[in-house]
Amino acid sequence: MHHERRGPGFWVLSVFFVLFVLFLYGPLSTIFILSFQGPNGGLTFPMNGTSLRWFENLLFEQQAVGDFGGAFLRSFILGIMCMITTMVVSLLAGLAFRRRFLGAGPLFYLTIASLIVPSILISLGIGLAFQVFGLEPAWYSSAFGAQLTWTLPFGLLIMFAVFNRFNPAYEEAARDLGATPWQTFAHVVLPIILPSLIGVGLFGFTLSYDEFARTLMTSGSFNTLPLEIYGMTTNVTTPVLYALGTVTTVFSMAIIVIALISIAVLRKRRARRIAG
Amino acid sequence: MTLSRLAPYLQAGPLTAILFAFLVLPIATIVMVSFWDYDSIQIFPAFVFTNYEETITSPVTWNTYINTLKYTVIVWAITLLVGFWVAYYLAFHIRSATTQMVLFLVCTIPFLTSNIIRMISWIPFLGRNGLLNQSMMSMGLIDTPLEFLLFSDFAVVLAMVHLYTLFMVTPIFNTLMRIDRSLIEAARDAGANAWQILINVIIPLAKPGIAIGSIFVVTLVMGDFITVRFMSGGQSASVGLMMANQIALLQYPAAAANAVILLIIVLLLVGGILRIVNIRKEL
């Protein structure tokens, strides 16, 4: 580490970075503020007083269009389904890729393809395939599969990063001490990678919870939350739209914070155990 | 012994099965249906090239593809410029690893929130009576509200940059962090100035990250329909939007033919990027 004086480049880029962060979060904060709009306020500034009117409207009153509660519940369940599946399947595939096996190359490219094929193709393709096979698309079947094509590649890429840095000496030590493969996995490998696995779960949940393009044509007759919000943008002209935006964003943020805290706690506990 | 030889196949099985069912099979279905015929109420098996003929010979298709490519080039250039400097700042100017991690998280957290809400959030900012127009009018910069801010190509590009820059920042940051700092030290000792170090050392070593980020941004913009529909207020066209409209009209074979053409173009673009930059050592 060298501690020379900061040049002008540092200050220019610092200003640039701050502007970038403002660009990222500025618009979100405007809808956050506007969701506290007074009862007679509109979709834009100025604020016409402040109230919780629109949150009340969102949570306790029947909406003219849409079913916020049902959509939230479906998105939440689907998010949990994607989270668990992404964690298990990426972990297994990550373990598989640590060794040579026939078809490893094609499977890897297929996973990457899953990431770069435009969402609307997945959406259309799954919709058509269900139609051709005479199946009824639904959020828990076709939309679930569509979202997995988006969450699994991220999960696998995270597992790659984890296992690239993983020191196999720990496993060898466990084996030398007479541990079975399952004991080695459960007592050595899993605790070491657990924080990263929580990261995979976080991606699995949030990417599913916010997914739109792949779900659009695959969700069947019941909407997930992002589809519901999109539907509202065309019909709803009151700040209840912003209240919904604020509530779901706060929910996403809460999930992210919980995941980050549990990762930090796990890391700290391990550091303490190694030190003690 | 046999079990341990079988293990990787069993472990890779679920991933293979899911990708086969929800990626390979659907794309095969699209290719198949693109040769089918349809009328106003249903689609039926056939082997016709009319869907492709109609798509390729229509000037609307060409204009739409050109418009989509235009978005792609503009958004790619802006996200690359912004993403590179953000990643550069984080990697080389932030000295404490903790601060670096925190700032990196600040940059990536919006990726885990809803795209739709992030698009909606531009409305109170860019609208006719939005924050930007109001403040520019009160500062006396303009007399009447600017109309082009929302529901225009400008809004589409702005929203795409807003949504997709993160896909550039992360891979570039990743490669920059892996650059051996002694290389930069050596260049400096050899008399290179900051600019020369950037051009001759850092950018060449950052190429794989730039390529991965570019693949993300190019494929996302090429297939985008929701940002274009929402931020242009239905006034601009993109390939994805054209497909979405065909799907809404139940013209599945036409949409499928379009999808096949889009897929080929996207794969060509990705292939082109991979030819210029070898990312294999990155993976």
PDB file of all heavy atoms in Angstrom, chain B residues 89-106:
ATOM      1  N   TYR B  89     -12.506   3.366 -10.615  1.00  0.00           N
ATOM      2  CA  TYR B  89     -12.468   4.127  -9.363  1.00  0.00           C
ATOM      3  C   TYR B  89     -12.463   3.173  -8.172  1.00  0.00           C
ATOM      4  O   TYR B  89     -11.654   3.312  -7.253  1.00  0.00           O
ATOM      5  CB  TYR B  89     -13.673   5.069  -9.307  1.00  0.00           C
ATOM      6  CG  TYR B  89     -13.784   5.857  -8.022  1.00  0.00           C
ATOM      7  CD1 TYR B  89     -12.951   6.931  -7.776  1.00  0.00           C
ATOM      8  CD2 TYR B  89     -14.742   5.520  -7.066  1.00  0.00           C
ATOM      9  CE1 TYR B  89     -13.049   7.650  -6.604  1.00  0.00           C
ATOM     10  CE2 TYR B  89     -14.847   6.244  -5.888  1.00  0.00           C
ATOM     11  CZ  TYR B  89     -13.999   7.311  -5.663  1.00  0.00           C
ATOM     12  OH  TYR B  89     -14.100   8.014  -4.503  1.00  0.00           O
ATOM     13  N   LEU B  90     -13.378   2.194  -8.203  1.00  0.00           N
ATOM     14  CA  LEU B  90     -13.477   1.256  -7.074  1.00  0.00           C
ATOM     15  C   LEU B  90     -12.198   0.438  -6.937  1.00  0.00           C
ATOM     16  O   LEU B  90     -11.709   0.201  -5.836  1.00  0.00           O
ATOM     17  CB  LEU B  90     -14.661   0.305  -7.277  1.00  0.00           C
ATOM     18  CG  LEU B  90     -16.048   0.908  -7.129  1.00  0.00           C
ATOM     19  CD1 LEU B  90     -17.102  -0.154  -7.405  1.00  0.00           C
ATOM     20  CD2 LEU B  90     -16.223   1.469  -5.734  1.00  0.00           C
ATOM     21  N   ALA B  91     -11.640   0.003  -8.064  1.00  0.00           N
ATOM     22  CA  ALA B  91     -10.508  -0.923  -8.016  1.00  0.00           C
ATOM     23  C   ALA B  91      -9.202  -0.213  -7.672  1.00  0.00           C
ATOM     24  O   ALA B  91      -8.365  -0.772  -6.961  1.00  0.00           O
ATOM     25  CB  ALA B  91     -10.382  -1.657  -9.350  1.00  0.00           C
ATOM     26  N   PHE B  92      -9.010   1.011  -8.190  1.00  0.00           N
ATOM     27  CA  PHE B  92      -7.689   1.633  -8.045  1.00  0.00           C
ATOM     28  C   PHE B  92      -7.644   2.821  -7.101  1.00  0.00           C
ATOM     29  O   PHE B  92      -6.585   3.188  -6.615  1.00  0.00           O
ATOM     30  CB  PHE B  92      -7.151   2.058  -9.411  1.00  0.00           C
ATOM     31  CG  PHE B  92      -6.827   0.893 -10.285  1.00  0.00           C
ATOM     32  CD1 PHE B  92      -7.545   0.649 -11.445  1.00  0.00           C
ATOM     33  CD2 PHE B  92      -5.808   0.006  -9.933  1.00  0.00           C
ATOM     34  CE1 PHE B  92      -7.247  -0.441 -12.242  1.00  0.00           C
ATOM     35  CE2 PHE B  92      -5.507  -1.086 -10.720  1.00  0.00           C
ATOM     36  CZ  PHE B  92      -6.229  -1.312 -11.874  1.00  0.00           C
ATOM     37  N   HIS B  93      -8.791   3.467  -6.854  1.00  0.00           N
ATOM     38  CA  HIS B  93      -8.729   4.663  -6.010  1.00  0.00           C
ATOM     39  C   HIS B  93      -9.186   4.413  -4.589  1.00  0.00           C
ATOM     40  O   HIS B  93      -8.916   5.199  -3.693  1.00  0.00           O
ATOM     41  CB  HIS B  93      -9.560   5.798  -6.628  1.00  0.00           C
ATOM     42  CG  HIS B  93      -8.841   6.499  -7.739  1.00  0.00           C
ATOM     43  ND1 HIS B  93      -7.616   7.097  -7.568  1.00  0.00           N
ATOM     44  CD2 HIS B  93      -9.172   6.698  -9.039  1.00  0.00           C
ATOM     45  CE1 HIS B  93      -7.226   7.624  -8.720  1.00  0.00           C
ATOM     46  NE2 HIS B  93      -8.144   7.383  -9.626  1.00  0.00           N
ATOM     47  N   ILE B  94      -9.951   3.325  -4.374  1.00  0.00           N
ATOM     48  CA  ILE B  94     -10.400   3.023  -3.014  1.00  0.00           C
ATOM     49  C   ILE B  94      -9.381   2.079  -2.400  1.00  0.00           C
ATOM     50  O   ILE B  94      -9.147   0.992  -2.900  1.00  0.00           O
ATOM     51  CB  ILE B  94     -11.797   2.370  -3.032  1.00  0.00           C
ATOM     52  CG1 ILE B  94     -12.801   3.261  -3.756  1.00  0.00           C
ATOM     53  CG2 ILE B  94     -12.257   2.073  -1.613  1.00  0.00           C
ATOM     54  CD1 ILE B  94     -13.029   4.600  -3.096  1.00  0.00           C
ATOM     55  N   ARG B  95      -8.784   2.487  -1.293  1.00  0.00           N
ATOM     56  CA  ARG B  95      -7.657   1.726  -0.778  1.00  0.00           C
ATOM     57  C   ARG B  95      -8.048   0.731   0.308  1.00  0.00           C
ATOM     58  O   ARG B  95      -7.361  -0.254   0.523  1.00  0.00           O
ATOM     59  CB  ARG B  95      -6.584   2.676  -0.248  1.00  0.00           C
ATOM     60  CG  ARG B  95      -5.866   3.351  -1.406  1.00  0.00           C
ATOM     61  CD  ARG B  95      -5.099   4.559  -0.949  1.00  0.00           C
ATOM     62  NE  ARG B  95      -4.544   5.257  -2.098  1.00  0.00           N
ATOM     63  CZ  ARG B  95      -3.915   6.420  -2.002  1.00  0.00           C
ATOM     64  NH1 ARG B  95      -3.754   6.973  -0.821  1.00  0.00           N
ATOM     65  NH2 ARG B  95      -3.451   7.007  -3.083  1.00  0.00           N
ATOM     66  N   SER B  96      -9.147   1.014   1.014  1.00  0.00           N
ATOM     67  CA  SER B  96      -9.522   0.059   2.061  1.00  0.00           C
ATOM     68  C   SER B  96     -10.451  -1.000   1.472  1.00  0.00           C
ATOM     69  O   SER B  96     -11.408  -0.686   0.753  1.00  0.00           O
ATOM     70  CB  SER B  96     -10.195   0.796   3.221  1.00  0.00           C
ATOM     71  OG  SER B  96     -11.420   0.216   3.541  1.00  0.00           O
ATOM     72  N   ALA B  97     -10.151  -2.260   1.771  1.00  0.00           N
ATOM     73  CA  ALA B  97     -10.935  -3.361   1.199  1.00  0.00           C
ATOM     74  C   ALA B  97     -12.385  -3.295   1.656  1.00  0.00           C
ATOM     75  O   ALA B  97     -13.296  -3.624   0.903  1.00  0.00           O
ATOM     76  CB  ALA B  97     -10.313  -4.697   1.586  1.00  0.00           C
ATOM     77  N   THR B  98     -12.610  -2.852   2.892  1.00  0.00           N
ATOM     78  CA  THR B  98     -13.985  -2.774   3.399  1.00  0.00           C
ATOM     79  C   THR B  98     -14.780  -1.721   2.645  1.00  0.00           C
ATOM     80  O   THR B  98     -15.894  -1.983   2.178  1.00  0.00           O
ATOM     81  CB  THR B  98     -13.980  -2.429   4.906  1.00  0.00           C
ATOM     82  OG1 THR B  98     -12.965  -3.204   5.529  1.00  0.00           O
ATOM     83  CG2 THR B  98     -15.319  -2.718   5.533  1.00  0.00           C
ATOM     84  N   THR B  99     -14.195  -0.508   2.509  1.00  0.00           N
ATOM     85  CA  THR B  99     -14.872   0.547   1.763  1.00  0.00           C
ATOM     86  C   THR B  99     -15.183   0.067   0.349  1.00  0.00           C
ATOM     87  O   THR B  99     -16.269   0.295  -0.180  1.00  0.00           O
ATOM     88  CB  THR B  99     -13.983   1.813   1.671  1.00  0.00           C
ATOM     89  OG1 THR B  99     -13.387   2.027   2.943  1.00  0.00           O
ATOM     90  CG2 THR B  99     -14.785   3.008   1.254  1.00  0.00           C
ATOM     91  N   GLN B 100     -14.187  -0.612  -0.252  1.00  0.00           N
ATOM     92  CA  GLN B 100     -14.354  -1.122  -1.603  1.00  0.00           C
ATOM     93  C   GLN B 100     -15.579  -2.041  -1.685  1.00  0.00           C
ATOM     94  O   GLN B 100     -16.415  -1.912  -2.577  1.00  0.00           O
ATOM     95  CB  GLN B 100     -13.105  -1.914  -1.952  1.00  0.00           C
ATOM     96  CG  GLN B 100     -12.763  -1.921  -3.397  1.00  0.00           C
ATOM     97  CD  GLN B 100     -11.356  -2.456  -3.581  1.00  0.00           C
ATOM     98  OE1 GLN B 100     -10.926  -3.365  -2.879  1.00  0.00           O
ATOM     99  NE2 GLN B 100     -10.645  -1.899  -4.520  1.00  0.00           N
ATOM    100  N   MET B 101     -15.676  -2.962  -0.721  1.00  0.00           N
ATOM    101  CA  MET B 101     -16.783  -3.919  -0.706  1.00  0.00           C
ATOM    102  C   MET B 101     -18.117  -3.195  -0.535  1.00  0.00           C
ATOM    103  O   MET B 101     -19.093  -3.487  -1.229  1.00  0.00           O
ATOM    104  CB  MET B 101     -16.556  -4.908   0.456  1.00  0.00           C
ATOM    105  CG  MET B 101     -16.898  -6.341   0.137  1.00  0.00           C
ATOM    106  SD  MET B 101     -16.288  -6.830  -1.465  1.00  0.00           S
ATOM    107  CE  MET B 101     -17.826  -7.280  -2.239  1.00  0.00           C
ATOM    108  N   VAL B 102     -18.141  -2.228   0.395  1.00  0.00           N
ATOM    109  CA  VAL B 102     -19.383  -1.505   0.663  1.00  0.00           C
ATOM    110  C   VAL B 102     -19.821  -0.730  -0.582  1.00  0.00           C
ATOM    111  O   VAL B 102     -20.974  -0.799  -1.002  1.00  0.00           O
ATOM    112  CB  VAL B 102     -19.206  -0.549   1.868  1.00  0.00           C
ATOM    113  CG1 VAL B 102     -20.394   0.399   1.990  1.00  0.00           C
ATOM    114  CG2 VAL B 102     -19.039  -1.348   3.153  1.00  0.00           C
ATOM    115  N   LEU B 103     -18.879  -0.015  -1.211  1.00  0.00           N
ATOM    116  CA  LEU B 103     -19.238   0.781  -2.396  1.00  0.00           C
ATOM    117  C   LEU B 103     -19.669  -0.128  -3.542  1.00  0.00           C
ATOM    118  O   LEU B 103     -20.577   0.191  -4.299  1.00  0.00           O
ATOM    119  CB  LEU B 103     -18.068   1.670  -2.819  1.00  0.00           C
ATOM    120  CG  LEU B 103     -17.720   2.806  -1.854  1.00  0.00           C
ATOM    121  CD1 LEU B 103     -16.583   3.653  -2.404  1.00  0.00           C
ATOM    122  CD2 LEU B 103     -18.930   3.686  -1.576  1.00  0.00           C
ATOM    123  N   PHE B 104     -19.002  -1.295  -3.652  1.00  0.00           N
ATOM    124  CA  PHE B 104     -19.381  -2.242  -4.699  1.00  0.00           C
ATOM    125  C   PHE B 104     -20.817  -2.733  -4.472  1.00  0.00           C
ATOM    126  O   PHE B 104     -21.607  -2.827  -5.409  1.00  0.00           O
ATOM    127  CB  PHE B 104     -18.401  -3.423  -4.730  1.00  0.00           C
ATOM    128  CG  PHE B 104     -18.727  -4.441  -5.772  1.00  0.00           C
ATOM    129  CD1 PHE B 104     -18.570  -4.154  -7.116  1.00  0.00           C
ATOM    130  CD2 PHE B 104     -19.213  -5.693  -5.414  1.00  0.00           C
ATOM    131  CE1 PHE B 104     -18.883  -5.089  -8.082  1.00  0.00           C
ATOM    132  CE2 PHE B 104     -19.526  -6.630  -6.378  1.00  0.00           C
ATOM    133  CZ  PHE B 104     -19.358  -6.328  -7.716  1.00  0.00           C
ATOM    134  N   LEU B 105     -21.150  -3.010  -3.212  1.00  0.00           N
ATOM    135  CA  LEU B 105     -22.517  -3.433  -2.895  1.00  0.00           C
ATOM    136  C   LEU B 105     -23.515  -2.330  -3.223  1.00  0.00           C
ATOM    137  O   LEU B 105     -24.588  -2.596  -3.765  1.00  0.00           O
ATOM    138  CB  LEU B 105     -22.624  -3.810  -1.415  1.00  0.00           C
ATOM    139  CG  LEU B 105     -22.155  -5.211  -1.055  1.00  0.00           C
ATOM    140  CD1 LEU B 105     -22.189  -5.398   0.457  1.00  0.00           C
ATOM    141  CD2 LEU B 105     -23.033  -6.258  -1.724  1.00  0.00           C
ATOM    142  N   VAL B 106     -23.143  -1.074  -2.894  1.00  0.00           N
ATOM    143  CA  VAL B 106     -24.017   0.058  -3.210  1.00  0.00           C
ATOM    144  C   VAL B 106     -24.331   0.073  -4.708  1.00  0.00           C
ATOM    145  O   VAL B 106     -25.444   0.338  -5.127  1.00  0.00           O
ATOM    146  CB  VAL B 106     -23.358   1.385  -2.766  1.00  0.00           C
ATOM    147  CG1 VAL B 106     -24.050   2.584  -3.395  1.00  0.00           C
ATOM    148  CG2 VAL B 106     -23.382   1.501  -1.256  1.00  0.00           C
TER     149      VAL B 106
END
